[in-house]
Amino acid sequence: MAAATLATADTRIYSAVAALVAAPVTEPKPLAFVDRFVGNVPPTGLPAAKFPAAMIRCNGTQAERPVATLTGIGTVDRVKASWSVLVQMTDPNDVTRGVNGSAAFPGILRIVDAVTAVLNGLWLDDAYMERVLRLVSALPDPAIPSTLIVYDVRFEAMLDAPSAYAAQVAAYEAAASDIEEMRGDVNAQGTVDPAPNPLVQFVAEPNE
């Protein structure tokens, strides 16, 4: 099977968060809007059509130290990929309602819990060593004014790094010439001692 990629992992994350959208919002499904996002959150907040909203941002990757076999062949390169789920709601009239809320009107903390519940431990098809998505942090964005409440809920996944190595090995093996079958005996004809056994002692078939 093909290894997980940034694109396939991103699709899986988006689908899980999108399942939290409902109208009207409830505690199990506390979001009114989900989309993708790039860059920093502006002081005016996320460009969402409705609130509460969650916008998914891929933060990029960081290469991990490669793991090699004793021969140096089959080196494994992996990357730590990071995503943020940026969660926003607006409730300038009541801080308690905006931060904590209730089952009927979930606050930002309940929304963060709901996002964490669907993503932390999420299985990503063919991720490195079948590792799952893991929560890193859930922190408020300090650049956002007090009239808005925005949290950055960050997750990490370990993926195999794309590599040209496997394709190069396959191309080399396809172009290599087969080695002919070899037959031998411990007593070859023409030596001082006659061969006591006329049958061949071994057959090597290197291409089998």
Side-chain angles (χ1 to χ4, degrees):
M1 298 176 68
T5 65
L6 286 173
T8 59
D10 185 81
T11 299
R12 186 96 167 90
I13 292 168
Y14 185 93
S15 297
V17 177
L20 297 176
V21 173
V25 298
T26 61
E27 188 166 16
K29 294 191 174 187
L31 296 174
F33 182 82
V34 171
D35 203 353
R36 289 183 172 88
F37 186 75
V38 293
N40 297 323
V41 180
T44 54
L46 295 169
K50 299 177 183 179
F51 295 97
M55 303 195 82
I56 299 162
R57 179 182 68 196
C58 179
N59 299 318
T61 63
Q62 180 178 354
E64 289 286 293
R65 190 170 296 143
V67 177
T69 63
L70 292 176
T71 61
I73 299 175
T75 299
V76 177
D77 294 308
R78 57 184 186 264
V79 294
K80 187 181 291 182
S82 170
W83 280 266
S84 288
V85 180
L86 304 165
V87 181
Q88 177 181 327
M89 66 182 307
T90 307
D91 197 353
N93 298 319
D94 190 335
V95 174
T96 298
R97 176 172 149 160
V99 172
N100 197 318
S102 63
F105 189 91
I108 196 75
L109 297 183
R110 294 174 191 257
I111 298 171
V112 168
D113 283 342
V115 169
T116 302
V118 297
L119 292 184
N120 188 36
L122 182 70
W123 185 57
L124 304 174
D125 294 345
D126 299 304
Y128 175 76
M129 298 292 289
E130 302 298 329
R131 295 187 186 181
V132 296
L133 194 69
R134 289 298 185 195
L135 174 69
V136 175
S137 61
L139 300 171
D141 191 324
I144 302 302
S146 58
T147 53
L148 303 175
I149 306 173
V150 179
Y151 265 66
D152 180 347
V153 192
R154 190 161 296 204
F155 299 87
E156 284 183 346
M158 193 72 75
L159 308 177
D160 289 301
S163 173
Y165 180 77
Q168 291 175 104
V169 170
Y172 175 80
E173 291 177 345
S177 300
D178 289 344
I179 301 174
E180 297 297 328
E181 178 183 279
M182 295 180 292
R183 294 174 179 266
D185 197 326
V186 294
N187 290 290
Q189 258 188 336
T191 57
V192 175
D193 298 322
N197 185 353
L199 300 178
V200 172
Q201 299 298 308
F202 69 86
V203 176
E205 296 182 344
N207 299 307
E208 291 297 320

